Amino acid sequence: MDKSSLVSDFLSFLNASPTAFHAVDESKKRLVKAGYEQVSERDDWKLEAGKKYFFTRNYSTIVAFAIGHKYVAGNGFHIIGAHTDSPCLKLKPVSKITKGGFLEVGVQTYGGGLWYTWFDRDLTVAGRVVLKEEKAAGSVSYSHRLVRIEDPIMRIPTLAIHLDRNVNSEGFKPNTQTHLVPLIATAIKAELNRMPAEDSELDGGKKCTQTSSKSKHHPLLMEIIANALGCKPEEICDFELQACDTQPSILAGAAKEFIFSGRLDNLCMSYCSLKALIDATSSESDLKEESGIRMVALFDHEEVGSNSAQGAGSPVMIDAMSHITSCFSSDTKVLKKAIQKSLLVSADMAHALHPNFMDKHDENHQPKMHGGLVIKHNANQRYATNALTSFVFREIAEKHNLPVQDFVVRNDMACGSTIGPILASSVGIRTVDVGAPQLSMHSIREMCAADDVKHSYDHFKAFFQEFTHLDAKLTVDV
């Protein structure tokens, strides 16, 4: 796939994915189009060699896999893991705030965001909503629906410099409880625009049995959400919504070499791994000689530690591997063999060298934009890479003439982490931590190089195609 088409497709993926729910929904659409069959964790699985499948958990985590024609139980899994979530502002369970003549929306911080970048941005809301739906004969069902308000409806204004004279010398230090609160309307305009139905307590029995959302959230906000869903406000039982930037992801820079976007960490790696899997399994011949299982796992909640039912700290990964192997053998010991023959590529964005803050990088480990995927190392196991796993990833790059870089954090700085060590320690799988270089990580607006999207896609696709043969030549623990 040429770089121009790939980047255009990546931008479409980004612009369709304002939340983890939307990222999973977009991934699902692409997998279904590519011939992947959805299975449910609530059902018994009947899998076949040579076929392709996927499942979702909480609709914010998705796992897709393709089974080689020559697969037998006990053979290895070739996995790329990434995450669907990004730092953001999530609406509080009771978001209704009125003060100073304004209607405000209470939010809570999610992850370690650069929160000052959220000021003076044109914001909206997106996420999922739980709806009560009346069926025939008076029966009732409940469903979750995704929603995204396209128009900018909120803003967090900064304080004028005339009222904060020392902000440039002492720094902008907003209080996340009192200052990081989006405005949605003035109270007087909201009152003038109030719908007549809001004054009525008669709902004909159609109101959700949960505590009234009207009392927890501004009616104006509820009306906007209901209009987008084509329902009535009283049919909304609950929701998980977050503030989102309305500025679209774009190809930018004087030489059109950069991608400016929110959520590059980690939708860039999510997209590249998913696209690589789809394209590495697009025809019958792709899996004809494959004896292993090619898999992509995109997890939720990495930004807050992965400790949830759908995070990498949950049994999602081992459950998937167990489900698959049990479809081909009743011997429980084959799973242990399969794990030892497997490799996980933990793909999470890396820190590119910042020209204005070059002292923040070790002088011998300065990842550059356009320089390809970065292999991350940490002696204290904040990354799970070792010599063997980095060799495998580097060898694939060399065979396909792909650039690759190395990163180690400075000894006098704390090191971040990824899903890599979590899965390596819980599953016992060999792991290499990698990521494409980017700037402005955890800002509302980040940037990376278009070339590195292509490098990442090519490297991940080559991994799926090459690992079985390469691993057969690698001798360890014998």
Side-chain angles (χ1 to χ4, degrees), residues 196-234:
E198 293 174 23
D199 295 322
S200 175
E201 294 299 321
L202 300 177
D203 51 44
K206 295 182 180 180
K207 186 176 181 179
C208 185
T209 55
Q210 300 288 329
T211 302
S212 175
S213 294
K214 191 194 316 182
S215 64
K216 299 194 296 183
H217 309 285
H218 288 299
L220 178 60
L221 176 62
M222 298 302 296
E223 191 70 33
I224 292 171
I225 296 169
N227 287 340
L229 291 169
C231 70
K232 297 178 180 179
E234 57 267 23

Side-chain angles (χ1 to χ4, degrees), residues 190-325:
E191 183 67 22
L192 290 172
N193 293 334
R194 189 169 66 172
M195 301 296 292
E198 293 174 23
D199 295 322
S200 175
E201 294 299 321
L202 300 177
D203 51 44
K206 295 182 180 180
K207 186 176 181 179
C208 185
T209 55
Q210 300 288 329
T211 302
S212 175
S213 294
K214 191 194 316 182
S215 64
K216 299 194 296 183
H217 309 285
H218 288 299
L220 178 60
L221 176 62
M222 298 302 296
E223 191 70 33
I224 292 171
I225 296 169
N227 287 340
L229 291 169
C231 70
K232 297 178 180 179
E234 57 267 23
E235 293 172 335
I236 298 174
C237 297
D238 208 342
F239 57 58
E240 291 177 72
L241 297 179
Q242 66 189 59
C244 305
D245 192 5
T246 56
Q247 187 173 1
S249 306
I250 58 170
L251 182 65
K256 296 297 182 184
E257 61 184 304
F258 301 127
I259 291 171
F260 295 166
S261 173
R263 308 174 307 287
L264 290 176
D265 175 21
N266 192 35
L267 290 187
C268 181
M269 294 294 90
S270 293
Y271 168 82
C272 291
S273 58
L274 184 75
K275 178 67 175 170
L277 177 67
I278 289 173
D279 289 355
T281 59
S282 59
S283 67
E284 283 288 324
S285 60
D286 287 327
L287 294 172
K288 188 175 182 180
E289 299 300 319
E290 178 61 78
S291 60
I293 292 175
R294 301 173 181 179
M295 177 183 285
V296 163
L298 309 180
F299 296 96
D300 194 5
H301 294 149
E302 188 276 342
E303 295 293 356
V304 293
S306 297
N307 292 320
S308 69
Q310 53 273 5
S314 75
V316 171
M317 178 69 78
I318 196 69
D319 282 354
M321 298 172 80
S322 178
H323 271 306
I324 295 167
T325 54

